[in-house]
Amino acid sequence: MKVTVRLFATLKDFFPKNQKKVLVELEAGSTVNEVVEYFGIPQTTPLIIKVNGRSGSKSTVLKDGDRVGIFPPVGGG
Amino acid sequence: MDFLERQTEMFKINELEKLINSTILIAGAGGLGTHQALELQRIGIKKIYLMDYDRIELSNLNRQVLYGRADIGEFKAVKAKEVLDAFDLGTEIVAITDKIDQETELPLDVDLIMDALDNFEARFNLSQLACEYELPLIHGGISSWYGQLTTIIPGETPTLQEIFEEQIAQTREKVQAFSPVVAMVACLQVLEAVKVLLGKDETLANKLLFVDGKDNSIEKVDLKN
């Protein structure tokens, strides 16, 4: 199955240069955590996860055509 | 001539009156807070409470625009009040040198709270206070080239804890903080505060705004499922 992934803010560094979104091929039944691992995002990074615009988590099971957005909360001031 | 002359045509008379009669609490007199205070004073806000228990350090001076080298060691809120008062624009500035925690008592005339803090632990306390006092809270945060904003309206939107999840309260790593990005986010927060005070429709309630100063993009994500 294929899912479309968008990474935001500091996470953009995990994307190939100049790409805004990436189509990722995953095994059926994969979760958001497989996406996190695919891009090499450290497990300790706090993340806000959206799947098709709805709140998700690393354990959210994905299906073909899903849109995954991953955001890092930024807390400086 | 009124110093607000060049902005009066943007607003209806009742909106102008609302702004010049509003009281705002800025929680934090660091990067975001000093920029916000300068902007809010120029909007003609009636009163600003500036709350920060911290003192000025050398590493603050790259973005905390109300302080200079000679001010190192002074209370931020007190120094900020001194500088803002010198502009003599009519806004009353009240400095509070208390730490924000769950027991903090907020002044009763506050209409809206600006988040100008630098960590999520303090922000979650602030969000809880906003709920207790039923006050809108304009959240903003930055890291290097990036910023994020949202508006918390008690009873209508998720709280900051619900959006960002409690566990990130523990993350207190030193983030890169760059004045142009801090200024950009602070200004967007002030614009948002004006819209919330005036009851405008297109606010960031139930939306998370991501600003990227590196690739010039702004993304708005719906928080309501």
Side-chain angles (χ1 to χ4, degrees):
Chain A
M1 66 173 183
K2 287 178 181 171
V3 298
T4 306
V5 180
R6 297 191 68 190
L7 302 179
F8 293 83
T10 47
L11 296 179
K12 286 181 184 173
D13 294 341
F14 292 97
F15 257 0
K17 212 174 179 187
N18 297 326
Q19 281 195 254
K20 300 261 179 204
K21 54 185 176 184
V22 169
L23 204 58
V24 177
E25 190 148 10
L26 299 167
E27 298 275 320
S30 293
T31 63
V32 172
N33 197 46
E34 265 84 57
V35 174
V36 172
E37 286 175 350
Y38 178 91
F39 288 103
I41 300 167
Q43 287 290 339
T44 49
T45 308
L47 301 172
I48 301 170
I49 293 160
K50 290 271 174 182
V51 178
N52 302 325
R54 292 174 172 272
S55 280
S57 70
K58 283 184 188 171
S59 57
T60 302
V61 177
L62 298 170
K63 58 183 189 316
D64 192 45
D66 276 350
R67 290 171 293 113
V68 181
I70 308 179
F71 313 90
V74 293
Chain B
M1 190 185 289
D2 187 337
F3 87 98
L4 297 173
E5 187 203 1
R6 294 290 297 274
Q7 69 188 47
T8 49
E9 286 178 24
M10 285 177 61
F11 302 102
K12 296 176 190 145
I13 290 174
N14 65 321
E15 290 178 332
L16 285 170
E17 281 179 359
K18 173 74 186 165
L19 291 178
I20 62 168
N21 286 302
S22 291
T23 295
I24 291 184
L25 182 135
I26 302 178
L32 290 171
T34 50
H35 280 100
Q36 289 167 6
L38 282 167
E39 295 298 326
L40 289 167
Q41 188 185 37
R42 273 140 198 85
I43 284 167
I45 294 295
K46 179 184 172 192
K47 188 175 183 182
I48 296 171
Y49 288 101
L50 205 45
M51 197 169 200
D52 201 314
Y53 73 104
D54 223 347
R55 291 172 186 270
I56 300 158
E57 296 174 24
L58 181 66
S59 65
N60 302 151
L61 303 185
N62 79 324
R63 66 198 184 282
Q64 303 189 11
V65 288
L66 296 176
Y67 320 127
R69 279 184 196 274
D71 307 319
I72 290 170
E74 287 194 46
F75 276 115
K76 291 182 181 180
V78 173
K79 183 64 200 179
K81 173 183 163 51
E82 189 186 312
V83 175
L84 293 164
D85 279 349
F87 288 113
D88 191 22
L89 293 178
T91 300
E92 184 187 349
I93 312 288
V94 181
I96 305 173
T97 54
D98 293 340
K99 189 172 182 176
I100 292 164
D101 57 31
Q102 291 175 11
E103 312 300 318
T104 302
E105 288 191 15
L106 301 184
L108 294 175
D109 57 348
V110 173
D111 296 305
L112 177 143
I113 305 174
M114 303 295 286
D115 167 10
L117 298 166
D118 65 358
N119 67 86
F120 276 103
E121 189 182 357
R123 282 189 172 98
F124 290 164
N125 286 332
L126 187 67
S127 178
Q128 197 171 317
L129 287 172
C131 284
E132 275 171 33
Y133 285 80
E134 296 182 346
L135 292 170
L137 168 67
I138 315 297
H139 160 71
I142 59 98
S143 179
S144 69
W145 297 90
Y146 314 105
Q148 97 214 337
L149 290 93
T150 190
T151 289
I152 308 297
I153 310 280
E156 292 179 29
T157 68
T159 62
L160 278 185
Q161 288 92 325
E162 286 165 337
I163 297 169
F164 296 116
E165 300 180 7
E166 288 284 357
Q167 66 262 28
I168 67 164
Q170 309 305 322
T171 56
R172 287 204 69 170
E173 60 187 46
K174 231 176 220 174
V175 301
Q176 292 294 293
F178 187 44
S179 193
V181 177
V182 174
M184 175 174 71
V185 171
C187 287
L188 287 171
Q189 284 181 274
V190 171
L191 276 174
E192 179 68 5
V194 168
K195 289 189 277 183
V196 170
L197 284 171
L198 299 182
K200 301 276 186 195
D201 290 332
E202 297 194 346
T203 69
L204 293 174
N206 290 312
K207 292 181 176 63
L208 197 52
L209 189 78
F210 289 93
V211 192
D212 184 334
K214 205 170 179 185
D215 69 6
N216 300 314
S217 66
I218 294 185
E219 311 267 354
K220 203 159 49 173
V221 175
D222 211 336
L223 289 172
K224 214 169 189 180
N225 291 327

